[in-house]
Amino acid sequence: MQLLNVIYRTLFFYFFILISYRVMGKREIAQLGVIDLIISILIAELVAISIENSKDPMYYTVIPIVILTILEIILAFISVKSRKFKSTMDGKPTILICNGKLNYKELITQRYTIDDLLLGLRQQGIKSIEEVEYAFLEPNGKLSVFKYNIFKRKSEYPMPIILDGEIQYDTLNTIHRDINWVNKELLKLNLTYDKVFYAFCKKNKIYLIKK
């Protein structure tokens, strides 16, 4: 009977967790942020304990999982509404290579060694840093790499200046611009930054999408 109980609990929690993750959204399956990872670990631990302690009522595990699922949905909703909250919880992309030059300051800040960088490049079939024009460390820990073109001419990466009405000061520092320049460019279009949904700079010109 105990064996059947363990099999029943295993099958039940398999489908229960499957439904819970579908409720949280497909994003959770494709990519785990910090919050998602913590909740996934907690759910896995709760299920493991419940299967092991087969004498305990199942609702001891079901109720905490339901609470975690609701919490994840609430936090995901807040993340969509507030970029500041999302950036605080999940972090921002970090530029490690810009115009072929290593950003040593960010390497130190992110505790990302040259060996880590070379490993990430090799995994993408890149032999040397010299082949890379831009490299970004994404919030999920993955390395996004943009190689030089065939003639190795410098190109300008369209880095975001405004996201959902919020100025991206890190980008401005990278392109050696300030808030006054942004306001001046937006004034030409009779706009303020809080009216802009998305804007990026390319060849000293701002391209944008209004809210």
Side-chain angles (χ1 to χ4, degrees):
M1 287 298 293
Q2 188 174 357
L3 178 61
L4 290 175
N5 190 23
V6 170
I7 294 172
Y8 167 71
R9 283 170 175 261
T10 303
L11 292 174
F12 172 82
F13 282 116
Y14 172 80
F15 290 104
F16 182 69
I17 298 303
L18 179 63
I19 293 170
S20 298
Y21 269 80
R22 287 301 183 189
V23 170
M24 284 191 280
K26 292 182 180 180
R27 181 180 64 86
E28 311 307 326
I29 300 171
Q31 177 182 336
L32 290 178
V34 175
I35 297 174
D36 311 323
L37 180 61
I38 292 170
I39 288 179
S40 296
I41 292 172
L42 288 174
I43 289 175
E45 288 294 325
L46 286 168
V47 172
I49 292 170
S50 178
I51 293 174
E52 184 178 347
N53 300 328
S54 56
K55 294 182 179 179
D56 293 340
M58 290 178 63
Y59 64 82
Y60 281 10
T61 303
V62 171
I63 292 174
I65 291 176
V66 170
I67 292 172
L68 289 173
T69 301
I70 294 171
L71 177 64
E72 170 60 30
I73 293 171
I74 292 172
L75 292 177
F77 179 78
I78 296 173
S79 295
V80 171
K81 293 296 183 181
S82 172
R83 287 200 58 82
K84 187 175 291 185
F85 177 82
K86 180 176 176 59
S87 298
T88 301
M89 301 306 295
D90 289 340
K92 293 181 178 180
T94 302
I95 185 164
L96 300 181
I97 300 177
C98 183
N99 289 322
K101 296 179 180 179
L102 284 171
N103 189 339
Y104 291 102
K105 182 180 178 181
E106 288 299 336
L107 284 170
I108 294 170
T109 301
Q110 300 298 324
R111 295 183 292 279
Y112 205 77
T113 66
I114 294 294
D115 289 335
D116 294 330
L117 180 59
L118 292 174
L119 174 62
L121 296 179
R122 287 196 299 271
Q123 289 175 337
Q124 301 194 40
I126 298 172
K127 300 175 183 177
S128 171
I129 293 176
E130 294 177 353
E131 300 178 37
V132 180
E133 187 173 11
Y134 293 96
F136 295 85
L137 181 62
E138 304 294 352
N140 62 1
K142 292 184 178 180
L143 192 67
S144 299
V145 179
F146 299 86
K147 297 172 67 176
Y148 277 107
N149 54 44
I150 192 170
F151 300 107
K152 210 169 183 179
R153 292 178 180 173
K154 288 185 177 181
S155 59
E156 194 168 352
Y157 184 81
M159 301 177 73
I161 292 175
I162 301 173
L163 290 174
D164 200 14
E166 294 183 7
I167 298 289
Q168 304 302 299
Y169 291 98
D170 292 342
T171 301
L172 292 179
N173 291 332
T174 301
I175 64 175
H176 306 294
R177 296 288 183 176
D178 57 22
I179 186 66
N180 293 326
W181 174 76
V182 177
N183 288 332
K184 184 178 178 181
E185 292 297 316
L186 293 178
L187 188 61
K188 296 176 183 177
L189 302 171
N190 294 320
L191 287 171
T192 55
Y193 62 84
D194 58 314
K195 302 294 183 183
V196 179
F197 178 69
Y198 173 70
F200 65 89
C201 176
K202 192 172 183 181
K203 295 182 180 179
N204 294 320
K205 187 176 180 181
I206 290 182
Y207 299 84
L208 57 83
I209 300 172
K210 291 189 288 186
K211 281 190 177 181

